[in-house]
Amino acid sequence: GYDLELVHLTKRYGDTVAVRDLNHVFSPGSYVCFLGPSGCGKSSTLRMIAGHEEISEGSILLDGQDVSRLPPAQRGTAMMFQNYALFPHLSVRDNVAFSLRMKGVDKDTRHKRANELLDLVDMTHLADRLPAQLSGGQQQRVALARALVTEPKVLLLDEPLSALDPFLRIRMRSELKKLQRELGITFIHVTHGQDEALALADEIVVMNNAVIEQAGPAREVWAQP
Ligand code: ADP
Ligand code: ADP
């Protein structure tokens, strides 16, 4: 696994301090859930780690290297969004292969890699469909495959299950957990759901008011009054 470290990480939007001086080390290969009320800074933290949001102060170290100023594709991180954001005009396979194409990976290699990832998320049989021809759960699997195709060291998930119906949500939980075990990489998952965090997390980070209020193994965080 890889060490991910936040050092004095701060985000301001004008006068609003969204994230205030976070210092935290994530255990390599762990499933981390971020919990906390709406507006406490979870998404901003995630987006800064992914490189989709500029850092105001501080830095992010991955495996000892400062990745704070690298573009998203060069950080060794990948992010899966709430609404999956698939390209509607591209087939499932081409959605998964897209970022490899942007990197200039040759066609045979990217299709081979896309097919491997589709196999991993059990979507091979639907590889030639368009996103609109898929269910919500299927779209989510494609989005997962698309995020994982770059072989990230850290996968960032912003409320990945909230668009799913309750049945699928429970099923996708165990699939996420299984994937994380198989790949051995760090998953950082933002959620509103305490039950979701308890089902998934090796470590829980509770944010409140732009700071980390508590962090630790799920059982310890829950044991506190
Ligand atoms: P959470 O994910 O916990 O709901 P966010 O990180 O989205 O929290 O937001 C943290 C704070 O930053 C909130 O006060 C929010 O209104 C503010 N904020 C988030 N994004 C922006 C933005 N693009 N511009 C201005 N303020 C923002
Ligand atoms: P181009 O660069 O010519 O636009 P793409 O990489 O977008 O080509 O692929 C065009 C289509 O051919 C895609 O829909 C893709 O599914 C299919 N395709 C190309 N190579 C393979 C392959 N090795 N395995 C499976 N499908 C492939």
Side-chain angles (χ1 to χ4, degrees):
Y2 302 90
D3 224 44
L4 177 68
E5 186 171 358
L6 312 181
V7 185
H8 298 301
L9 190 65
T10 296
K11 179 67 192 180
R12 286 189 214 87
Y13 300 99
D15 291 338
T16 307
V17 182
V19 175
R20 188 188 300 276
D21 195 27
L22 292 199
N23 292 284
H24 194 72
V25 182
F26 300 96
S27 310
S30 56
Y31 203 117
V32 182
C33 283
F34 266 66
L35 274 171
S38 188
C40 70
K42 305 182 297 296
S43 291
S44 298
T45 302
L46 214 65
R47 291 201 304 269
M48 283 192 283
I49 296 171
H52 296 301
E53 190 83 72
E54 213 174 300
I55 293 170
S56 302
E57 276 171 47
S59 51
I60 295 159
L61 306 181
L62 184 51
D63 236 14
Q65 191 205 351
D66 187 346
V67 299
S68 319
R69 268 81 198 167
L70 296 178
Q74 288 171 28
R75 290 188 172 208
T77 60
M79 184 146 171
M80 193 187 114
F81 298 94
Q82 196 170 356
N83 57 5
Y84 318 139
L86 299 176
F87 301 113
H89 59 292
L90 295 184
S91 71
V92 163
R93 183 184 291 106
D94 290 347
N95 261 282
V96 174
F98 184 80
S99 60
L100 298 181
R101 189 174 179 165
M102 293 297 99
K103 281 186 165 180
V105 174
D106 70 85
K107 189 166 178 165
D108 279 353
T109 307
R110 63 179 192 253
H111 283 282
K112 181 169 173 285
R113 186 79 190 125
N115 289 339
E116 285 167 9
L117 266 298
L118 287 170
D119 192 39
L120 186 70
V121 298
D122 201 15
M123 283 291 294
T124 305
H125 59 301
L126 299 174
D128 295 314
R129 289 212 187 163
L130 293 172
Q133 299 169 309
L134 302 177
S135 72
Q138 290 167 343
Q139 287 184 38
Q140 194 206 33
R141 284 158 197 268
V142 179
L144 261 177
R146 197 177 60 171
L148 291 169
V149 79
T150 58
E151 301 184 54
K153 299 166 181 172
V154 178
L155 181 67
L156 304 157
L157 305 138
D158 194 355
E159 303 209 22
L161 307 181
S162 59
L164 301 178
D165 67 54
F167 176 79
L168 257 180
R169 203 178 300 148
I170 302 288
R171 187 161 130 209
M172 289 308 298
R173 270 185 201 171
S174 44
E175 307 215 350
L176 282 174
K177 190 74 183 173
K178 188 169 149 243
L179 257 183
Q180 186 261 338
R181 286 205 190 100
E182 279 174 18
L183 297 169
I185 63 174
T186 304
F187 275 38
I188 302 183
H189 173 141
V190 165
T191 176
H192 274 110
Q194 299 204 353
D195 55 337
E196 195 166 297
L198 197 56
L200 284 165
D202 301 315
E203 182 188 358
I204 291 179
V205 174
V206 182
M207 284 189 76
N208 196 13
N209 220 343
V211 301
I212 292 178
E213 203 174 56
Q214 293 178 53
R219 277 184 202 85
E220 285 178 23
V221 169
W222 249 262
Q224 292 177 18

